[in-house]
Structure formats: C-alpha cells, structure tokens
Amino acid sequence: MSDEPAGTPAAEQQAKPSRPPRRKRVVLADSRAPVTVLRTVLELEEQTSWAEEVVRGFIRTQFWTAVRLALVVISTLGALPLVFFFAPGLSEVSVVGVALPWLLLGIVPFPLLFGLAYWYNVLAERQERDFVDMVEK
Amino acid sequence: MELNLWAVACILLVCLATFTIGFRSSRLASTTQDFLTARRTVRSRRNAAAVSGEYLSAASFLGVAGLVLKDGADALWYPIGFTAGYLALMLFVAAPLRRSGAYSLPDFAEARLGSRQLRGLSTVFVVFIGMLYLVPQLQGAGLTLSQIVPGVPLWAGAVLVAALVVVNVLGGGMRAITVVQAFQYWLKLFAIAAPTFVLCALFLGEGGVDGIGGTGLSQPMAPRFTTETTVEVATDVVLQVREGLPLWVEGDGVVDGSRARGSVYWGPGEHTVGAGARLRFAEGAPVPVVSGAPADNATWLRPVSGVGDLLTTYSLIFATFLGTMGLPHVLNRFYTNPDGRAARRTTLHVLMLLSLFYLFPVVLGALSRIYTPELLVTGTTDAAVLLLPGKIAPGVLGQVLGAVTAAGAFAAFLSASSGLVVSVAGVLSTAGGGRGRVRDFRWATVIAGVVPLALALLFPTGDVSLSVGLSFALAASTFCPVLLLGIWWPRITWVGAATGMCVGGGLVLLSLLISIISGLTGDWAPEFLLQPALVTVPIAFLTVYLLSKATSGKVPQETNRIRMRMHAPDRLGFIRDRDIARFGTAEERSKLANGRHRR
C-alpha cells in the first residue's frame, strides 16, 4: 500500500490498466473446524477413560447391528445350497412356469439384499445420530 | 459371423463417447488429489453408478450368461455373490474405511497398522490382483472385436481398449473416469435390457420352445440344434454324448483318435475332438456338451447335484461375498466419497443398480441354451450374449441388437479396465521411490496399461469368469481379513496382517499352480482347487488372529484414536484425510489450499 489516500478516482484509474494486486484469502481460523468446540468432543479427542468407554460401546453397537443383518443373509441365502441338496424335489416345483430354484436364486435374493442394506442404513444412521446427541447434550 | 457394420459403428460410438467424456472431465483435473481420489467430492448417486459401471466387467456382461448356459442353476450364485459382496462391504467396511482418510488399500494398511513393510506387501498384492483382473478384460476385448470384424487379429481389440483407457487416465486419473464409468453403467444396463426384452418377445411370439423344435429346459434330454449347424473346434475338447447322434466330420483335427472324415455315428459316452476339426450337425440332433458341464437339461436346471457341487457352491459364496471388499479398484472408488455416511449410501445405491442389472444376463443365458447350443460344443460360452440376437432375430433387427450388446461389452471392458488402471497406477505412484506427484502417476499409468497388455497378448485366452473368480478368491484371502479385523478388532498387529496376507494369498496361488499343472498333465486335480476360498479364507483369518495374539507388543499405540476416527459419526468432525498433498509439488499444494474446487 502506498501512502497516497486510497480510493481517489485518479489512483484507481492508474491502477486498473496495470495488473491488479493479487487477491489473497486471509484465513484466521479453519472454517472446517466446528464453531463451538464442545467439552465432550474435546474429551473424545483426548481419549479420556470416559471417552474410550463411550466410543467402545458405540463401536460395539454398530458391530452387532451389522453382524445381526449378516446373520440374516447367512441363514437365508447361505442355507439355500443345503436346502437344494437335501430336498432335490424342489426342482420339480414350478411357479408361473419357472422352476422354483430359479426363482429363489435368480430373483428373490436381490430384493432381499437391497432390503437388508436399506434397513442397515437406517439403523446405522439412527445409531450415529443418537451417539452425536449423547455427546453433544 | 459375418461383418456386422452396425456393431462396428456402435463400438466406435462407445469409444468416442468414452474419450470425449473423459477428455471433458480431465480439464478439471490438475492435482494429485484429482488423480487419486477425484478430490473426494463425488456425490453418492453418481459414485454408485460409477462403482457399478466399473464392477460390471466382462465377467458380468458376458460371463454370467455364458456360465448360466453351461452350468445352469449353479451359475446363478455368481450374480448373487457379486451383489451380496456389496452388502458385506456396506455392513463392515464402507463407512469406517472412508473415515480412515486413506486413499488406497496400502495406504489404509499403513494408516491403521503403522508399517511401511505392510504397505509394500499390500502394494504387491494390489498390483497382482489388478493384473489378474485386467488381463481377461483385454483378452475379452480382443476376442469380441475379432468376432465382430472377421480378419482383425486378436491383439487389435486389446490394444484399442488399453490405449483408450491409458489416454483417459493420463489426462485426468480418477477425475476423468468417474463420469465415464457412471455413463457406462447406464449404457450397459440398456445394452443388456433392451435386447433381453425384444428377444423374449420374439421367443414367446414363436411359440416358445415347442415352436422352434428345441428341448424344453426341464426335460431330461440334451439340448438340440434348431438348425443345421457347423462347429469349428479351435482347441482340443472332450465332449460327452447322452443320446447317440450322426454327424459329419470335416477339417483336419483328430477325432476319437483317428483322422477319419465324413459321416460318423457317435454313441453315448465321451468323445475327444482335436483342434482344427469341423463338426456338422443335422437339425434336431442332440448337442454334445463339453465334459464337466451338465449334459441334459434336467440336470442343468437342478441346483447342487452332488457333494462336489455343494462344496464348490459354498466356496464360490465365500469368495464372492467376502472378495468384493478386497478388490482394490472397487475400494478405490469408495475413497472418492466426501464422508463415511456418503460411502454407506453409495453402497446402498450400488446394490440397487446391480440387482437391476443381473436379472437380464440370467434370462439371456437360459435363452441361449435353446438357441445357441453349439457354444456348448466348443465351450466358448462367453460369446452367448453376442451371438444370441443374430440367432433369434435374423436380419437387420438381429444385427442391430447384436450391435447393441457388442457396444455394451465394449463399455464393460473399458470401464473395468479404467478403474483397474487407476487403482494400480495410484498405488504404484505412491509406492517406493514415487512421491505421488502427477508426473509419477502418469508414468505409473503407462506401466499399468502396457504390462497387462503384454501379458494379455502372451497368455492364451481363458474363461473370463474363471480368472475373475480366482481374483475374488485372492482378494478374499488377502485383503478381506486385514480389512475386517483392522476395522473391528483393536489388537491386530502388522505382523499378523502381513503373515495372513502371505499365507492366504500363497495358498490361492498354490492351488492355481496345481490346477494349471494338472490341466497340462491329464486333469487329476479336483475341481475344487479352481475355487479354493472355502479353505483359504478361514486359514487367512486364523493366521492374522494367531500371529497378532503372538505379537501383541506390536499393537500400534495410536490404535484407540484411529479406531475412534474410523467409527465416530461424521458430524463430530474427526475425519482427517491422509495427506496426499504432502507428496505434491509446492504449486499443487497452493492450488489445493485455496479451495477453489471444494464443495
């Protein structure tokens, strides 16, 4: 900055044709950081014994939710080969002109998988929300 | 197959669209962040389309229908496994993996377990799985092009795909291929759905199976040729015949140990046919089937017909359910999500998109059992999707539909290859001496494109789904235990992880080696060795567990903090992306720092 009073029309006119000063962004604080740092969040970051316990509990909840849904898949889809092995008569059954095993293997698994995924998404997000509420309360 | 100009035009259009979209997106890419993770700003819907586009490779587009044609009900486990793998990925891996802030699998291993050695080892496996997956894509491209344009050598298609992919990835890395892959998912869905609807309508219009004189799909008889058919045998095969049939032998291959030419009668049993023979079958003759596949339609229709089948099926389930999460190019796309929640939603969308897609190849596979049974004679069943339209709808309609499926197949080769090249180039450029600058990435891209191309030209073409199935087994036995235990089990150590990867991967490679040797010396190895995941995956898990227990002193001190970052909800703001910027040049860093592209 020069000593001349800034903002006089003449000074501006002169500055225009030459290269304008490069605009710099001045960052006083990282905008990504939360606006109010909560004490509990700090505690989580600092790994106090309370925080460790809470986090461990949360991880466990998420884990068992996932395991439960995985068990649904294992007990349904995973059992199908055994069912077909021990009950070969199923192939004789036909539903709307298609053999039952083909329906059970070609169509049914896909809505089942998507449904479970959808359900898990709802559950996991709800548990995350509850955890955040608990931390921020 | 005669020259189909429609198909040539469609393939050229797909290539042109791929290049144009990649080129347009490349202009936005300038930093290492762009090249490796598309700046982690890909929204979940587009990312899901891109993941699906990348995942539906030749094995899905061509292979699934071919396997259904050959193996029947048991092959239905391939699409189920390919889809269910994403459920496992979503339940156990997606969100924590994204929150770990890593940008590649080796980087995750280092971030979690703090070991450069483990990073190096993971790099080796990523490159190996990438090659194993990439080579059949390129070979498939060569095969497809040479079928569509007779006279074109096998290498032409492979070179075309490799060149196009390398150019795109050189231009913009992950940033360039995201939109390309998303576009190619929808293209592939159209290219398989539209022909399926039309062909089904034609099939039903002709009066179903009876109308064309085929064998009903549930009858205990072999499929039948619906027209007089000549089959050229390119490699030696053993055929099984259930009902005796007359045929004419031409060409110059050895058939049943003699060079006899002319009219022959084959009784029930096995017959060997040497390369170069031409077999002519009359209309209505029962179809001889390559040995190892179900010979009659009733067996074909029935799932699990023996203990061997049961084991193979479960092994396949293990490999595909758990292998998807270990495929480096799939995981690579997950690092492009903005946060953990988006990663989860991406997977949910992927499950929907894949479920939609996989309905169609199954129908095409069943139709091809009626219309193109000659593929069962040579065993080249991967061509079913490409040949079926011309068989059901002769004339221009058939040609156009064939062109559409050919274009879809090319989209499959292109999108899978681009994902694989990006992931291999990504780990190569940040491994060892590379500092992850854009220039390193570009050099790595050239290597990641040229080496598999050379391998694809050197090695003979195999069944595309088999080698892809094997890479699933490899991924399930190496990366899956490291990911699952790394994310959920606090006491894993790098020694345990490294040993588990070596043991699991080593066992899979060993079984591959044994089955190759047995294939050369008279097929004595059990079929099980081609899909060994049922044994290797539990062993790998057990190794990681035991070795980690034994080296419990090596648990990283930061474990609790890292675990909290991986699992804490995104809103708490603990997510810290691993520093790619530290690799970049000063200029790149300043571009990143001013946040122009940050959303």
Side-chain angles (χ1 to χ4, degrees), chain B residues 490-516:
Chain B
R491 289 198 289 281
I492 182 174
T493 66
W494 76 265
V495 183
T499 325
M501 275 168 66
C502 287
V503 170
L507 284 175
V508 173
L509 293 183
L510 186 71
S511 70
L512 169 69
L513 199 67
I514 293 177
S515 43
I516 288 179

Side-chain angles (χ1 to χ4, degrees), chain A residues 45 47 78 91 102 125 128, chain B residues 99 301 314 344-345 561:
Chain A
E45 186 77 278
Q47 299 278 302
S91 319
W102 282 67
E125 286 192 1
E128 286 188 351
Chain B
R99 291 189 192 120
L301 191 81
Y314 273 115
R344 222 186 273 126
R345 297 197 161 186
R561 192 180 295 271

Side-chain angles (χ1 to χ4, degrees), chain A residues 22 25 31-32 34 41 44-47 52 55-56 58-59 62-63 65-67 69-70 73 77-82 84-85 88 91-92 99 101-102 104-107 109-111 113-114 116-118 120-121 124-125 127-129 131-133 135-136, chain B residues 68 72-74 76-77 79-80 83-84 87 90-92 95 99 300-307 310 313-314 317 321 341 344-345 348-349 351-352 354-355 358-359 362 366 487-488 560-561 563-565 567-574 576 593-594 598:
Chain A
R22 201 180 157 77
R25 168 187 271 213
S31 57
R32 278 167 295 184
V41 176
L44 285 179
E45 186 77 278
E46 282 166 4
Q47 299 278 302
E52 266 184 37
V55 169
R56 197 173 305 139
F58 173 67
I59 296 178
Q62 293 283 59
F63 179 68
T65 313
V67 168
L69 291 181
V73 177
L77 290 186
L80 276 182
L82 277 178
F84 293 135
F85 182 67
S91 319
E92 313 295 319
W102 282 67
L104 286 181
L105 292 175
I107 294 177
F110 298 106
L113 291 171
F114 180 76
L116 285 174
Y118 186 82
Y120 173 71
N121 194 42
E125 286 192 1
Q127 282 159 2
E128 286 188 351
R129 233 174 6 251
F131 182 73
V132 173
D133 289 347
V135 168
E136 288 182 345
Chain B
V68 169
D74 284 332
L76 297 178
W77 282 103
I80 297 178
T83 314
L87 184 65
M90 179 182 182
L91 292 179
F92 295 107
R99 291 189 192 120
W300 174 83
L301 191 81
R302 191 169 60 235
V304 194
S305 41
V307 180
L310 194 67
T313 304
Y314 273 115
I317 291 178
F321 279 38
R341 183 163 155 267
R344 222 186 273 126
R345 297 197 161 186
L348 185 65
H349 284 298
L351 274 163
M352 188 175 67
L354 291 185
S355 305
Y358 279 127
L359 297 177
V362 172
I487 288 173
W488 297 104
N560 277 339
R561 192 180 295 271
R563 272 165 60 79
M564 188 193 67
R565 282 204 183 137
H567 294 283
D570 305 303
R571 254 182 65 199
L572 293 177
F574 289 129
R576 290 282 179 283
N594 71 18
R598 225 173 55 217

